[in-house]
Amino acid sequence: TGSDNNAIALPLAKRLGLKKQRSLARVNTPAGPVKGYITTRARVEVAGQFRVDNAFIALPFPDIDCGRGLKVEVIFGLPTLKTMSIYIDNPNARIAFAPSGRFTPEARRHLKIDWTDNKIDGVLEGKPVRMTLDTGQNEALQVNDKAFARYFAGKKSAQHLPIRTSGGTINKTRKVEGVRLTVGGTDPLFVRAVRYPDTGWETPVVLGYAIFNNNPVIFDAGKEAIYVF
């Protein structure tokens, strides 16, 4: 959800024989601007669930491991995801796709989080915060340089591991453990926040997938809602 476009790794685009339609001198990514190009149309399908048939932006992905020896080679942007309702059963490692509005919480006990224009409101260390959601990021919070100093003044930070993104690797990162975050009326969560350079995100704080990965969850951007069970 952190991308505005569908992206594909350059090696995969070449293996599939996708042609270059137009060169892009600057594509903004969390790691900074990179060069890329718009491909001819390609079809991506999960049988019985969804099919996407459109152009992609080819980028020099670094090696991003997604487990079981697999690498991330395709990223769906928010415009595509807005057409879908996505149910992720994290405890059982299952995922299902359907048209927006198809999956609903019904009578199950759940927490609804408002999700408008890919923004989520919360409270971070006692201060109101508006966050961009990027489910492609495994960290709970990524906070740019200026906001890191504002929210965590006086808190001890330590060197953190590099962060791999679709546009490259962010090498100089620091972390603060146990920061207090409230989202959607939840009890406070105590999570790790990672600092990253100011690379043009719409908001200075980015909310990642780590706060969802212990529960079943429905993401429905078309309905502007996230349901956590």
Side-chain angles (χ1 to χ4, degrees):
T1 58
S3 175
D4 290 331
N5 302 284
N6 295 335
I8 187 170
L10 280 169
L12 178 58
K14 291 176 181 177
R15 291 201 307 271
L16 295 176
L18 302 181
K19 304 299 183 183
K20 181 189 298 186
Q21 291 197 104
R22 179 163 59 90
S23 296
L24 300 172
R26 182 186 178 97
V27 180
N28 290 324
T29 77
V34 297
K35 294 181 180 181
Y37 62 84
I38 298 175
T39 71
T40 48
R41 299 176 73 90
R43 176 179 294 179
V44 180
E45 182 174 3
V46 175
Q49 297 196 50
F50 77 87
R51 182 172 64 192
V52 174
D53 187 358
N54 58 16
F56 286 75
I57 294 181
L59 295 174
F61 285 22
D63 282 339
I64 305 175
D65 188 358
C66 57
R68 300 181 182 179
L70 301 174
K71 303 294 182 182
V72 175
E73 294 184 289
V74 173
I75 293 175
F76 288 120
L78 192 62
T80 295
L81 298 178
K82 277 185 175 180
T83 67
M84 302 179 188
S85 181
I86 305 170
Y87 174 64
I88 305 176
D89 182 359
N90 286 298
N92 295 299
R94 298 183 301 179
I95 187 170
F97 303 87
S100 178
R102 180 71 58 83
F103 294 136
T104 61
E106 298 180 341
R108 293 179 63 183
R109 184 179 178 184
H110 66 277
L111 169 71
K112 180 183 178 183
I113 299 174
D114 292 330
W115 182 27
T116 305
D117 295 328
N118 203 31
K119 307 297 186 301
I120 294 175
D121 291 324
V123 179
L124 177 58
E125 288 293 304
K127 302 179 181 68
V129 61
R130 171 157 288 187
M131 301 169 285
T132 299
L133 178 64
D134 185 358
T135 52
Q137 295 293 344
N138 256 346
E139 297 291 345
L141 288 173
Q142 292 192 61
V143 184
N144 74 10
D145 288 331
K146 292 180 181 178
F148 198 89
R150 183 169 72 249
Y151 283 106
F152 311 130
K155 283 188 171 289
K156 184 179 179 180
S157 67
Q159 186 67 35
H160 188 51
L161 297 172
I163 301 171
R164 296 182 183 275
T165 79
S166 61
T169 302
I170 304 173
N171 290 302
K172 295 182 178 179
T173 63
R174 296 192 69 81
K175 63 181 178 180
V176 173
E177 299 283 357
V179 305
R180 185 184 178 100
L181 173 68
T182 304
V183 179
T186 61
D187 292 334
L189 305 169
F190 293 90
V191 301
R192 178 169 60 208
V194 176
R195 187 180 74 189
Y196 72 93
D198 187 358
T199 51
W201 281 100
E202 291 185 74
T203 60
V205 180
V206 176
L207 185 68
Y209 192 72
I211 72 161
F212 301 107
N213 62 12
N214 291 321
N215 301 88
V217 59
I218 296 171
F219 293 96
D220 197 326
K223 296 295 183 182
E224 299 185 333
I226 300 169
Y227 305 98
V228 184
F229 301 95

